[in-house]
Amino acid sequence: MARRILLINGPNLNLLGKREPHIYGHTSLSDVENQARTQLASLSSNQDQEFTLEAFQSNHEGAIVDRIQQAAGWGPLAEAKGPVDSSSSSCFQKVAAIIINPGAYTHTSVAIRDALAGVDIPFIEVHISNVHARESFRHHSYLSEKATAVIAGLGVFGYQAAIEFVVKHLKFKD
Ligand code: DQA
């Protein structure tokens, strides 16, 4: 069965390419997502394992929490589709890895940190800019301590780096 990779982008990242291009560049979010799909398809054909991408963007903290819970078959989004027993041998496949750019929620959200820790899915935290070279309030992340890896300052190439790492190097639990 294909492994599911979930790409989450938080607030204002829907404006990628338009928003502060001197910091975030000129590539749009849909270009990033399409590139990630193409990259995963090509990596899959070179591995024994197939990978599929699910892309999600929201400006709302609770919506991101709901989407993270859904990745494990839990929470309101999963229940809307009918209850899922993720511990049974039903055909539900838990997301294998999450790549997340939480945007400004990086620096504020205990709720997103708790959701990621709760679902116990390995995640890579990505920042387009080098947050450590910017304002001091961007230096702290509520997520990094729980992340498998943190990428910052590589521009949108950071998403590609994260995908390649997940496919080629991440040790999956199953
Ligand atoms: C960001 C950095 C955050 O501080 C900021 O709020 C963002 C984007 C980045 O990708 O560099 O929205 O996560």
Side-chain angles (χ1 to χ4, degrees), residues 19 21 23 27 29 36 39 41 44 66 71 76 89 118 138 147 149 153 161:
R19 162 201 189 202
I23 298 176
T27 309
L29 183 60
Q39 184 189 2
S44 294
D66 286 347
S89 57
R138 295 185 203 275

Side-chain angles (χ1 to χ4, degrees), residues 79-137:
E79 279 154 25
K81 288 191 182 163
V84 168
D85 177 2
S86 54
S87 64
S88 83
S89 57
S90 71
C91 62
F92 175 79
Q93 176 90 354
K94 187 173 173 174
V95 163
I98 296 175
I99 296 168
I100 181 166
N101 182 345
Y105 288 140
T106 307
H107 320 297
T108 62
S109 183
V110 177
I112 293 175
R113 172 198 169 106
D114 284 352
L116 288 163
V119 295
D120 195 26
I121 295 172
F123 73 93
I124 315 295
E125 178 182 341
V126 174
H127 299 285
I128 297 163
S129 64
N130 178 0
V131 282
H132 300 288
R134 300 181 63 195
E135 303 96 322
S136 59
F137 65 83

Side-chain angles (χ1 to χ4, degrees), residues 14-173:
N14 55 318
L15 299 182
L16 214 51
K18 297 186 190 130
R19 162 201 189 202
E20 299 181 277
H22 56 291
I23 298 176
Y24 300 112
H26 294 276
T27 309
S28 69
L29 183 60
S30 63
D31 285 346
V32 166
E33 292 171 349
N34 288 335
Q35 201 286 327
R37 272 195 193 91
T38 308
Q39 184 189 2
L40 264 186
S42 130
L43 284 167
S44 294
S45 65
N46 294 327
Q47 310 268 129
D48 288 343
Q49 175 73 57
E50 193 192 337
F51 292 85
T52 56
L53 188 84
E54 294 165 35
F56 178 77
Q57 188 278 330
S58 179
N59 294 326
H60 305 279
E61 186 175 24
I64 295 170
V65 169
D66 286 347
R67 189 63 188 85
I68 292 167
Q69 292 182 1
Q70 186 192 27
W74 297 336
L77 295 177
E79 279 154 25
K81 288 191 182 163
V84 168
D85 177 2
S86 54
S87 64
S88 83
S89 57
S90 71
C91 62
F92 175 79
Q93 176 90 354
K94 187 173 173 174
V95 163
I98 296 175
I99 296 168
I100 181 166
N101 182 345
Y105 288 140
T106 307
H107 320 297
T108 62
S109 183
V110 177
I112 293 175
R113 172 198 169 106
D114 284 352
L116 288 163
V119 295
D120 195 26
I121 295 172
F123 73 93
I124 315 295
E125 178 182 341
V126 174
H127 299 285
I128 297 163
S129 64
N130 178 0
V131 282
H132 300 288
R134 300 181 63 195
E135 303 96 322
S136 59
F137 65 83
R138 295 185 203 275
H139 297 178
H140 177 257
S141 163
Y142 278 98
L143 278 64
S144 297
E145 196 191 334
K146 302 282 178 195
T148 300
V150 181
I151 297 170
L154 298 184
V156 293
F157 176 74
Y159 294 101
Q160 280 183 55
I163 285 173
E164 184 161 341
F165 172 80
V166 164
V167 170
K168 292 192 177 168
H169 304 291
L170 190 67
K171 302 274 177 271
F172 294 101
K173 289 177 181 169

